Amino acid sequence: SNSTMNGIRQRENRFTTNVDTMDDEQSFEFGQSFYHWRHYKDKKNYIKPEQYRHDNLKKEMLNNEIYPLSIWHWNDTLTKAIVHKYSEQGKKMIAANRGDFNFNRAIPKNLTMSIAHLMVILIYTNYDDPQREFKSKGMRTKSNNNISSECMQNLIDNHCEIAWFYKLFNEAIKFYGGKMNESLVLYHGISTDELFFSEFHPKFNAPISTTSTYEIARGFCGSNDNGMILVLVADKSIYDEYLCCWMSDLSHEKEYLFAQAHHLFIKDIKLNKDVINLDCSYSKYI
């Protein structure tokens, strides 16, 4: 039932992008960008406050039509968020100076991280099913090209079911995370080893989970050895924001979250079937 969750992560889905959510090979892009801040009211896919289906995050998480949480999971997550907020690490979580973004999104620098911002991160990192359904039904389409108006409207309708979640999630990453740097290497799985694409700058318009540990990525990259792992590094000109999920129930996974990622570069590709030779590299072909 969609009304309850057992809290167990579906490991085959974590840190992995299923290829049926990818767009054509020319763009290597997936997901749609949405805008929830008045500054962007003239942008395509701007979501007005009156379009939100629910009055606040709690009502949205308990009553959305995509994947509602049980009251038990809500209360459990709320308790953890409060504990984290007043922990030594939590007290250090203050909004970074992101220039005009602070004003445009009404998050002044040095503002402490709110309970609501912590909760959306915890919901995303601790429960696989909701975040997977939120992304697949409320943030992505099969293709960004030639999408029908009916399909796009359906996506917008779904997105408005999780509007608070999306808005808060983006703010949490943008203001309370760090910026990618050239020394950080991250891993993300693709559920096939037969993906063809013509460029090595993937464009993720929806949230993406990565890990700084190769062994963790491989554990999530398909159970039949037909997957690949992308080795991702920063573009040398623009750095995406990420949040290192120290507050996750599974902090050993070394999870790095991106709300969007437009400036990552594929440094290498590891194929799951190369298990007998984990050092096998394809970087010289990239």
Side-chain angles (χ1 to χ4, degrees):
S1 168
N2 274 2
S3 63
T4 60
M5 297 182 294
N6 59 19
I8 299 175
R9 289 174 162 219
Q10 303 300 313
R11 290 189 62 83
E12 67 272 17
N13 294 314
R14 200 67 180 170
F15 303 107
T16 302
T17 293
N18 292 322
V19 291
D20 63 2
T21 65
M22 301 292 292
D23 287 329
D24 64 80
E25 67 272 14
Q26 296 303 313
S27 62
F28 196 13
E29 176 179 359
F30 76 97
Q32 289 283 338
S33 296
F34 291 92
Y35 301 90
H36 289 256
W37 304 271
R38 184 169 177 76
H39 175 78
Y40 305 99
K41 59 184 175 61
D42 296 325
K43 286 269 193 182
K44 178 185 176 183
N45 297 344
Y46 170 64
I47 305 298
K48 301 176 183 177
E50 57 266 29
Q51 290 178 266
Y52 284 35
R53 295 284 192 272
H54 307 280
D55 294 335
N56 53 50
L57 180 65
K58 180 177 181 178
K59 290 183 178 179
E60 180 177 278
M61 289 297 95
L62 296 179
N63 300 292
N64 75 83
E65 295 184 0
I66 296 178
Y67 204 108
L69 275 66
S70 69
I71 188 63
W72 187 92
H73 285 95
W74 171 267
N75 288 335
D76 183 61
T77 304
L78 176 59
T79 300
K80 290 174 181 175
I82 293 171
V83 170
H84 288 311
K85 179 175 173 62
Y86 296 105
S87 68
E88 288 304 309
Q89 183 74 14
K91 290 176 183 177
K92 299 175 184 177
M93 300 293 284
I94 59 174
N97 183 356
R98 300 290 188 227
D100 290 343
F101 287 107
N102 294 87
F103 177 79
N104 296 341
R105 303 192 184 187
I107 305 286
K109 67 176 182 178
N110 297 328
L111 182 70
T112 56
M113 194 173 190
S114 71
I115 296 293
H117 286 108
L118 278 163
M119 287 196 70
V120 295
I121 297 300
L122 290 170
I123 290 168
Y124 186 98
T125 59
N126 290 342
Y127 303 119
D128 254 11
D129 291 342
Q131 62 88 13
R132 185 179 64 252
E133 293 299 302
F134 290 171
K135 287 192 293 187
S136 67
K137 295 180 180 177
M139 304 179 198
R140 297 177 181 167
T141 56
K142 294 279 186 180
S143 175
N144 284 336
N145 300 319
N146 302 315
I147 179 174
S148 70
S149 57
E150 181 181 1
C151 182
M152 191 64 208
Q153 188 57 53
N154 183 61
L155 178 66
I156 291 173
D157 290 343
N158 284 339
H159 184 81
C160 290
E161 285 286 336
I162 55 167
W164 285 107
F165 181 92
Y166 182 92
K167 177 179 183 290
L168 290 162
F169 186 91
N170 273 261
E171 291 172 351
I173 306 298
K174 185 75 176 177
F175 298 105
Y176 298 100
K179 283 208 171 204
M180 214 34 203
N181 60 69
E182 293 178 29
S183 64
L184 185 58
V185 178
L186 299 174
Y187 303 92
H188 181 73
I190 299 293
S191 63
T192 181
D193 58 5
E194 297 182 350
L195 181 66
F196 297 94
F197 44 88
S198 60
E199 62 181 68
F200 294 91
H201 286 89
K203 188 173 182 180
F204 298 98
N205 293 321
I208 172 180
S209 292
T210 65
T211 175
S212 58
T213 305
Y214 173 73
E215 291 75 14
I216 293 292
R218 191 179 186 284
F220 289 104
C221 189
S223 57
N224 58 1
D225 291 338
N226 288 330
M228 68 170 74
I229 295 171
L230 305 181
V231 183
L232 301 168
V233 295
D235 184 294
K236 295 185 184 301
S237 57
I238 304 175
Y239 299 138
D240 290 305
E241 291 93 0
Y242 67 84
L243 184 67
C244 182
C245 295
W246 56 270
M247 70 286 285
S248 168
D249 286 355
L250 298 173
S251 57
H252 69 278
E253 291 179 348
K254 307 296 183 185
E255 184 171 9
Y256 286 72
L257 285 181
F258 294 82
Q260 296 181 331
H262 295 168
H263 306 287
L264 298 177
F265 179 75
I266 301 174
K267 179 182 180 181
D268 199 358
I269 295 172
K270 305 273 189 184
L271 299 182
N272 248 13
K273 59 189 177 185
D274 289 332
V275 62
I276 58 174
N277 182 12
L278 294 181
D279 294 324
C280 182
S281 173
Y282 296 90
S283 60
K284 65 181 180 181
Y285 303 110
I286 295 176

